Amino acid sequence: MTEHDGVRDLLAAWAFGALPPDEERAVPVHLAECESCAAEAERLRETVRLLDGAALTGLPAPPAPDVLSAALRTRPAAPRVAVHAAPYAAAVAGLKALLPEAEGRWSTPVVHDWDVHATVAHLLAADEPLAGRLGIAARAPASAATGDASWVEAWNRRSAEVIAHEHGRTPAETVADWAAQAAALLAVPEAREPELAARATTLMGVRLPVADHYVVRAFETWIHTDDIGRALGLAVPPPPAGHLGQLVRLAVRVLGLALGPTAPPVLFAVDGGEQWVLGSEDEPVYAELALDPVEFCLLVGGRRTPAEVPRRVAGDEGAIRNVLERAASLSWL
């Protein structure tokens, strides 16, 4: 590949501000010498400006070019946050790029009984627990409910409250508040400093480091972005490989805790990635299970059932079924 071809492949990610420092420095040097790449870079930068503006104002915007979709699929988020927050930053960028396509179609059914507008409102509510724990004020009016409910009941009730409130506002206002809250989550020190993000806190019924809660937020944002894309008939790319690996590893850890130390041991693997023994450490492996990483995340996210998720298996069918059913039971989305 020539230098020209190499830089041209970087232009979409450069327009998003999503290049690592060494590649970031190489692009302007080449643009100063190459008129065709300079023109393409300016076109991409203008498209990104239009997408960002439309996401906040609700104004129509042109469809994102394929090259921008490729950038979201293959490049990490801008290097302004630490590794643990990068998947969330990328997921937020992906949803912001998609939402202009909802113009005029905000009432399109998406998932559960939510339309596109309600799905964004749900994400506004879903980010609140972590935002509140990090000192970020809620964008929606506070709940008047008591605190004696289980976390699942409280989660569902708060989501319903925020959706009802946001349906009295315009989609543009809801998107603006969601984007502002997401930006605040990515601006706090915990998003940039791994040491601060290492402290554990209990959210959604599970005690995890703040860093892992950022990965949870990335997981849900991507799942609902995919939901909206499917509803609108648009393909949403999966997270970049590095980010997808972070989602998978966290999901496997939570799955291992859910299975417990006495479950029949299963050797679990994701295609092209790592493998783990889930369940008892005191017995020989009963079975082997391999899943595509995206399909595994969709299973954990409640978008696949144990019966329909593609898999490669060997060994005890009951042990395999136990893992798949427990993975599916983890979903709260």
Side-chain angles (χ1 to χ4, degrees):
M1 178 182 291
T2 67
E3 176 187 348
H4 173 85
D5 291 335
V7 171
R8 192 173 184 84
D9 287 346
L10 299 176
L11 289 180
W14 177 80
F16 269 108
L19 287 178
D22 56 337
E23 293 180 343
E24 178 77 31
R25 289 189 292 270
V27 172
V29 175
H30 180 76
L31 296 184
E33 301 173 349
C34 179
E35 291 185 8
S36 65
C37 282
E40 176 71 1
E42 180 56 32
R43 184 182 72 81
L44 291 170
R45 271 282 168 93
E46 179 60 24
T47 301
V48 171
R49 283 193 291 270
L50 288 172
L51 288 171
D52 284 343
L56 292 176
T57 66
L59 294 175
D66 290 342
V67 70
L68 296 184
S69 178
L72 289 174
R73 181 167 53 246
T74 61
R75 286 287 167 179
R80 292 172 290 185
V81 295
V83 170
H84 65 267
Y88 179 63
V92 168
L95 182 52
K96 287 177 65 178
L98 174 66
L99 287 177
E101 300 302 311
E103 184 63 29
R105 297 192 284 171
W106 290 101
S107 60
T108 302
V110 176
V111 67
H112 309 312
D113 59 349
W114 305 336
D115 58 13
V116 179
H117 188 180
T119 304
V120 179
H122 167 74
L123 283 173
L124 178 63
D127 282 344
E128 272 188 357
L130 179 59
R133 196 60 53 90
L134 299 181
I136 300 167
R139 311 292 298 192
S143 173
T146 62
D148 58 355
S150 70
W151 77 264
V152 175
E153 292 171 330
W155 173 272
N156 291 329
R157 184 170 58 202
R158 181 55 177 165
S159 179
E161 288 176 348
V162 174
I163 289 171
H165 175 263
E166 295 301 318
H167 265 154
R169 307 171 75 220
T170 67
E173 289 172 322
T174 301
V175 170
D177 274 355
W178 164 77
Q181 182 172 256
L185 275 168
L186 293 167
V188 293
E190 287 84 355
R192 301 188 304 271
E193 300 177 25
E195 295 80 6
L196 290 177
R199 65 183 176 89
T201 188
T202 301
L203 297 173
M204 298 182 299
V206 62
R207 186 168 178 81
L208 293 170
V210 167
D212 286 341
H213 285 297
Y214 270 97
V215 180
V216 173
R217 302 312 323 130
F219 195 113
E220 181 166 13
T221 303
W222 164 60
I223 287 287
H224 287 312
T225 301
D226 188 67
D227 289 338
I228 293 171
R230 291 175 187 275
L232 298 177
L234 299 170
V236 171
H243 298 172
L244 183 59
Q246 289 176 258
L247 303 189
V248 167
R249 286 190 290 275
L250 179 59
V252 169
R253 282 171 50 205
V254 175
L255 174 58
L257 292 173
L259 285 167
T262 62
V266 173
L267 179 64
F268 175 69
V270 292
D271 295 341
E274 303 171 65
Q275 59 182 25
W276 304 262
V277 174
L278 300 174
S280 173
E281 298 179 355
D282 301 323
E283 302 175 73
V285 167
Y286 280 43
E288 298 180 7
L289 169 65
L291 300 177
D292 173 84
V294 173
E295 292 292 331
F296 172 59
C297 288
L298 292 173
L299 175 68
V300 173
R303 300 308 185 265
R304 295 287 186 272
T305 67
E308 70 186 1
V309 67
R311 84 291 300 269
R312 296 195 313 279
V313 300
D316 187 272
E317 293 183 1
I320 293 168
R321 185 169 57 252
N322 184 48
V323 171
L324 293 173
E325 291 178 351
R326 193 59 58 89
S329 74
L330 298 176
S331 175
W332 73 97
L333 306 180

